[in-house]
Amino acid sequence: MNPVPDRTRRLLLAVDAPSLLHRNHHARAHTRHRDRGGRPAWALHGMLRQIIESIDQFAPDAVIFGLDDRVASERRDAYPDYKAGRAEKDPDLVDQLDRAGALLDALGMATLTPPGLEADDVNASAATWAGENGWDCVIITSDRDSFAHISDHTRVLRLINGGINGSPLLTSAHLRSMYGVPAERYLEFAAVRGDASDNLPGVPGIGEKTAAYLLSHIGSMREIWADIEHDEGRSVVAALDAWAEETGARRTGASVLKRLSAPGARDTYEFNLRMMAGRTDLDLGLTPDVPGTPGLLPLDIARVERVVGHLDMESTTALALRVLTGDPASVPR
């Protein structure tokens, strides 16, 4: 990870709070750490520690936390099997998920729980807001969903086992290297592939390599469907067979065309696209030109000391006081 400390554009961190809470719950449950009130706090502490470390690395101007609506779900209404098969949540994790918003609000951070939606919708809107307002954006998450928002001004810090310093900061170039598709086609790629973690099956018989080749050599899925509908898929077959000839692989053009032309294939793709696309029009409530607005840094020293101190981890409180109450990198020295 190599954030650039000297910059002129302001920076927004968009944090997938549930993703980080889930990850830290499983990673830190063995500690059984509790706050000063005796309630479970290991996931909350782990999430907050990682965010403070991220702020220390990136020195952002503002931070917004996306939270899931844990009562209603537009996606589940559209598809009752959405995320079916996931294990039931540990009650201690549920308790910390329920308390996360209040803790972050008390700290002076900006939080958004969009009705019927998820943290990834907040990430999508944050990336859009940053682009429209001349800011850069870094999305912090442990999920792949936010890869669809990577662009020239938005990167994704995908948290993995190495923590903040050991996690990749993904750009458009990284995404193409990983999946073979340009960043602007990742959402289409994911819709073709499907997402097992959300229980969304992909187009039957179309693997990642084939999907990536189609999207990088023919164009958008809209163009691919149009070729199938209006020209019997000739361009699809020709591109795939040329690929096979170049690589010495078996010719698959006709079989792939058959799978893409099968009843329900396009419906599956279009449905996944709707389910996976994050909302880009949410009101984030950010007013960067109004000092003291929630989410803007630096934060109030007394609030940081009181709120982080309640988690009863002295080293984290000291780090928070140093990091959260200092000026961002875009402030002239």
Side-chain angles (χ1 to χ4, degrees):
M1 183 179 68
N2 296 299
V4 179
D6 297 320
R7 60 173 192 266
T8 55
R9 288 168 64 92
R10 289 190 281 184
L11 176 66
L12 171 66
L13 290 190
V15 183
D16 183 345
S19 171
L20 269 64
L21 285 164
H22 278 83
R23 187 170 187 84
N24 279 284
H25 169 71
H26 296 296
R28 298 172 181 259
H30 67 281
T31 69
R32 312 309 294 175
H33 179 72
R34 295 180 178 271
D35 62 23
R36 289 177 178 171
R39 300 182 71 175
W42 55 86
L44 289 169
H45 169 256
M47 175 194 71
L48 194 57
R49 179 82 189 198
Q50 287 186 321
I51 294 309
I52 295 169
E53 291 172 355
S54 297
I55 292 171
D56 196 25
Q57 288 281 356
F58 290 100
D61 298 84
V63 185
I64 185 162
F65 289 80
L67 296 160
D68 297 341
D69 185 340
R70 295 177 26 77
V71 177
S73 170
E74 291 183 4
R75 292 177 175 88
R76 195 166 54 243
D77 290 344
Y79 179 48
D81 288 334
Y82 181 61
K83 296 187 177 181
R86 294 191 178 188
E88 187 173 345
K89 290 183 177 66
D90 184 324
D92 286 335
L93 172 59
V94 172
D95 178 70
Q96 293 174 85
L97 286 167
D98 288 341
R99 291 156 52 207
L103 181 146
L104 294 166
D105 288 339
L107 191 57
M109 296 291 191
T111 66
L112 180 59
T113 307
L117 299 173
E118 305 172 6
D120 192 54
D121 294 293
V122 180
N123 292 340
S125 289
T128 300
W129 183 93
E132 291 175 347
N133 288 274
W135 286 45
D136 289 327
C137 180
V138 171
I139 297 172
I140 302 178
T141 182
S142 61
D143 294 336
R144 294 185 298 178
D145 297 343
S146 291
F147 292 178
H149 315 315
I150 291 175
S151 68
D152 290 342
H153 66 80
T154 296
R155 297 166 291 170
V156 171
L157 179 65
R158 190 187 187 198
L159 293 182
I160 54 176
N161 293 335
I164 295 299
N165 291 322
S167 295
L169 181 64
L170 302 177
T171 64
S172 298
H174 290 122
L175 201 63
R176 183 183 280 275
S177 176
M178 291 165 64
Y179 294 105
V181 294
E184 62 270 20
R185 297 279 180 245
Y186 179 81
L187 179 59
E188 298 172 61
F189 168 77
V192 173
R193 177 196 61 199
D195 189 340
S197 67
D198 287 343
N199 197 34
L200 293 169
V203 176
I206 306 298
E208 284 197 356
K209 288 185 178 179
T210 300
Y213 186 85
L214 289 170
L215 287 164
S216 61
H217 287 77
I218 297 180
S220 69
M221 285 303 299
R222 182 188 298 273
E223 292 172 280
I224 292 167
W225 297 123
D227 179 61
I228 293 171
E229 183 176 354
H230 301 295
D231 197 27
E232 300 179 344
R234 288 185 174 87
S235 293
V236 171
V237 172
L240 288 168
D241 286 349
W243 178 36
E245 186 173 344
E246 290 173 9
T247 60
R250 181 172 56 88
R251 291 162 67 96
T252 59
S255 61
V256 169
L257 175 62
K258 184 177 180 180
R259 290 165 184 161
L260 289 172
S261 304
R266 185 169 184 176
D267 290 340
T268 295
Y269 165 78
E270 297 287 358
F271 181 76
N272 284 349
L273 202 64
R274 293 193 298 273
M275 295 290 287
M276 295 176 175
R279 284 278 298 274
T280 61
D281 59 347
L282 300 178
D283 182 0
L284 304 182
L286 294 174
T287 51
D289 296 324
V290 180
T293 297
L296 299 186
L297 295 173
L299 300 181
D300 179 73
I301 293 176
R303 292 178 75 165
V304 170
E305 187 169 26
R306 182 179 69 254
V307 176
V308 181
H310 185 71
L311 293 178
D312 202 22
M313 191 63 75
E314 186 175 337
S315 62
T316 299
T317 302
L319 180 65
L321 285 169
R322 177 177 70 79
V323 173
L324 301 182
T325 62
D327 287 330
S330 63
V331 174
R333 296 297 191 264

